[in-house]
Amino acid sequence: MTAQILDGKATAAAIKSDLTARVAALKEKGVTPGLGTILVGSDPGSQKYVAGKHRDCAEVGIASIQRELPETATQEEIEAVVRELNDDPECTGYIVQLPLPKGIDENRILELMDPDKDADGLHPMNLGRLVLNEPAPLPCTPNGVLTLLRRYGVEIKGAEVVVVGRGVTIGRSMPLLLTRRSENATVTQCHTGTRDLSSHLKRADIIVAAAGSAHLIRPEDVKPGAAVLDVGVSRNAEGRIVGDVHPGVAEVAGFISPNPGGVGPMTRAQLLVNVVEAAERSVG
Ligand SMILES: Nc1nc2c(c(=O)[nH]1)N[C@@H](CN(C=O)c1ccc(C(=O)N[C@@H](CCC(=O)O)C(=O)O)cc1)CN2
């Protein structure tokens, strides 16, 4: 078997085309959505991701507001920029690029954001709304995974899903999205403390690998026909991305997301969706 590719680039392009029309309609009503980003430090990966977010904004007509602070920025200095964007009427939604430098209290920064401007869906209030099944901006990467699965007709209802990883941006909220009544999946969350990962993976109809551990998911651990989403990012000696999924998995799986080119572009597209949806809510 050779797996069908879950093409994140093509899917993100289709989403952006739809958003371009919606942003134009908002502008006709006098509303210009504006995405703010706060980048602290000079991590090349984070710089690249933030630059990509602003390119996407330009593509669909969303205004961009960029704030950059040095690696040495203090907690107070970052908090001052958060307050500034909370109060800026041009900024209809914003994100704080993660991770923040060591020594910064990330949770305190997230808590200080105006939850109604939280474009990432990572504010504790919005994660709480997700737990309570109330409307909230959805975390971008998990929502990107769901959108890809739906677009390619992968059956989620009743599926056994294994999520590998428990980080804030993906692992924590992925099971919350998958177990909503609208999705009705059964989820097992695995992590570094899981005793026998292989036994869990072998039962999965869908695997979401977000461990950041190169080639952790091996072909022999994957049920034939399963959908495998590779969200993990490690870098090899040449600086190239190596995902959590071994290339041999493509011979066993029914569906596979490439990495790069799978979930990454979807993360960016879902961020734009959150910004546009928030602006649409503001005009009723
Ligand atoms: N505030 C946030 N911080 C972080 C998030 C997030 O959703 N919100 N997620 C990641 C980084 N990230 C977005 O911020 C992100 C990661 C990867 C991609 C992407 O398109 N990757 C490409 C490959 C890029 C490359 O070659 O390096 C791909 O997969 O094709 C976009 C966004 C952590 N921080």
Side-chain angles (χ1 to χ4, degrees), residues 9 45-46 48-50 53 95-99 110 120 122 140-141 169-170 233 235 241 258-268:
K9 268 193 194 163
S46 292
K48 188 172 171 179
Y49 300 143
V50 168
K53 289 173 190 189
I95 64 109
V96 178
Q97 188 62 33
L98 301 176
L110 292 173
D120 256 337
L122 297 178
C140 303
T141 306
T169 50
I170 311 155
V233 177
R235 303 260 170 196
I241 290 183
N259 190 357
V263 177
M266 295 301 295
T267 298
R268 281 165 54 177

Side-chain angles (χ1 to χ4, degrees), residues 14-284:
I15 292 172
K16 284 193 275 185
S17 154
D18 169 60
L19 291 176
T20 304
R22 287 163 64 181
V23 171
L26 279 164
K27 286 182 178 172
E28 273 174 23
K29 291 181 185 162
V31 175
T32 300
L35 174 70
T37 59
I38 301 178
L39 172 64
V40 185
S42 48
D43 174 73
S46 292
Q47 286 177 328
K48 188 172 171 179
Y49 300 143
V50 168
K53 289 173 190 189
H54 290 291
R55 269 200 312 280
D56 292 339
C57 284
E59 211 180 311
V60 304
I62 295 174
S64 270
I65 299 142
Q66 298 194 46
R67 295 287 177 269
E68 289 184 16
L69 291 105
E71 189 79 29
T72 51
T74 62
Q75 181 84 27
E76 291 69 30
E77 284 166 340
I78 304 170
E79 289 179 9
V81 178
V82 169
R83 288 198 184 87
E84 184 217 320
L85 293 190
N86 282 347
D87 294 340
D88 181 352
E90 309 277 294
C91 173
T92 59
Y94 71 98
I95 64 109
V96 178
Q97 188 62 33
L98 301 176
L100 289 169
K102 281 204 180 71
I104 300 297
D105 184 343
E106 210 162 87
N107 287 351
R108 206 182 127 67
I109 299 287
L110 292 173
E111 279 165 25
L112 204 64
M113 294 175 75
D114 175 348
D116 292 331
K117 287 193 174 189
D118 166 28
D120 256 337
L122 297 178
H123 187 284
M125 173 86 88
N126 289 323
L127 290 173
R129 286 174 174 149
L130 189 56
V131 171
L132 297 175
N133 224 0
E134 290 172 0
L138 298 178
C140 303
T141 306
N143 200 24
V145 166
L146 272 188
T147 305
L148 260 186
L149 290 171
R150 288 197 200 109
R151 191 156 196 109
Y152 285 87
V154 177
E155 181 80 12
I156 301 172
K157 192 172 162 221
E160 293 279 344
V161 185
V162 169
V163 176
V164 189
R166 54 182 160 186
V168 172
T169 50
I170 311 155
R172 285 282 173 213
S173 52
M174 189 78 245
L176 290 174
L177 264 69
L178 285 162
T179 53
R180 292 175 303 179
R181 284 187 194 281
S182 52
E183 319 304 331
N184 260 339
T186 299
V187 181
T188 303
Q189 184 149 39
C190 296
H191 42 74
T192 45
T194 298
R195 235 183 280 142
D196 184 2
L197 176 63
S198 172
S199 69
H200 294 289
L201 293 172
K202 282 177 176 150
R203 287 189 296 104
D205 303 306
I206 300 173
I207 296 171
V208 181
S213 175
H215 295 173
L216 176 73
I217 312 297
R218 318 278 307 174
E220 59 272 23
D221 292 333
V222 174
K223 184 159 98 175
V228 182
L229 289 107
D230 190 353
V231 191
V233 177
S234 312
R235 303 260 170 196
N236 65 14
E238 292 85 48
R240 285 235 177 81
I241 290 183
V242 183
D244 282 3
V245 178
H246 188 280
V249 169
E251 301 308 316
V252 184
F255 300 86
I256 195 161
S257 73
N259 190 357
V263 177
M266 295 301 295
T267 298
R268 281 165 54 177
Q270 297 298 158
L271 175 65
L272 303 179
V273 169
N274 283 348
V275 175
V276 172
E277 283 182 351
E280 287 173 341
R281 272 196 301 277
S282 76
V283 291

